[in-house]
Amino acid sequence: MSDPAPLRTPQFQVNDLLEPRRRPILVIEDDPVDQEMIILAFKRASVANPVITMANGQEALDYLTAPRSESVLPSVIILDLNMPQMDGFEFLRHIKAEPRFAAIPVVVLTTSQFDRDLTQSYALGASSCLTKPGDFEQLVKMAAEVDQYWCRRNRIPESG
């Protein structure tokens, strides 16, 4: 006897399961070498999300506020603190004050060892603060951890 169609378990396509993970990772970093290393680390860690890089907070803010036919928020923003034009602190002030962007997790990735920088980052709404690793393999490991938590497990609203 065959089982009736309404009682069958729904079949999912691989794309159905991966689609939420396709939201971009926005990297805001002024150093082109660091940008490239971060992109390579996410590739080496087999992260499915596209990685978009911006050179400073103003460029990233312009990207996020640009009109789009389809408003897709990043899964996570990776943010350097010390940048020209608009630094990481000013970017955090702007993005966390804007309701449509406030839920986007921001991971500060910095070489700063100053507690005041960490305290200020968290006070402005950073979700996490990480020290930039000194070697590439550690950066790959960090990229995999960011992917596992912020891209795969964490949930934010679909659009702003």
Side-chain angles (χ1 to χ4, degrees):
M1 176 163 127
S2 65
D3 54 4
L7 298 178
R8 289 188 191 142
T9 305
Q11 298 298 309
F12 295 101
Q13 299 294 321
V14 172
N15 287 344
D16 294 342
L17 298 174
L18 293 178
E19 199 56 39
R21 293 187 58 232
R22 299 220 184 266
R23 295 166 78 162
I25 296 168
L26 179 59
V27 175
I28 309 170
E29 167 64 62
D30 64 316
D31 185 314
V33 173
D34 284 351
Q35 278 185 3
E36 190 62 30
M37 296 302 284
I38 292 167
I39 291 168
L40 289 172
F42 278 107
K43 283 182 184 175
R44 174 80 67 83
S46 300
V47 175
N49 303 60
V51 177
I52 299 168
T53 58
M54 301 289 158
N56 61 63
Q58 185 60 57
E59 203 175 284
L61 201 56
D62 292 345
Y63 166 79
L64 288 169
T65 58
R68 290 182 187 74
S69 58
E70 186 179 304
S71 181
V72 177
L73 298 177
S75 291
V76 63
I77 296 171
I78 309 296
L79 178 66
D80 186 25
L81 292 178
N82 301 313
M83 297 176 290
Q85 197 168 356
M86 181 188 286
D87 67 15
F89 299 119
E90 190 62 27
F91 176 79
L92 275 167
R93 278 186 198 92
H94 283 284
I95 194 164
K96 293 304 179 179
E98 180 67 44
R100 64 188 165 152
F101 304 134
I104 301 171
V106 177
V107 175
V108 172
L109 184 60
T110 184
T111 56
S112 176
Q113 297 296 316
F114 298 116
D115 278 347
R116 71 177 180 268
D117 287 346
L118 300 177
T119 300
Q120 186 175 1
S121 295
Y122 284 120
L124 292 171
S127 305
S128 179
C129 293
L130 305 173
T131 301
K132 283 182 186 175
D135 86 6
F136 182 68
E137 289 309 314
Q138 288 299 312
L139 187 61
V140 172
K141 183 178 177 188
M142 186 178 288
E145 291 166 350
V146 166
D147 176 45
Q148 279 296 314
Y149 185 78
W150 296 110
C151 298
R152 295 183 190 216
R153 290 191 175 94
N154 190 56
R155 297 197 51 210
I156 62 171
E158 288 300 316
S159 63

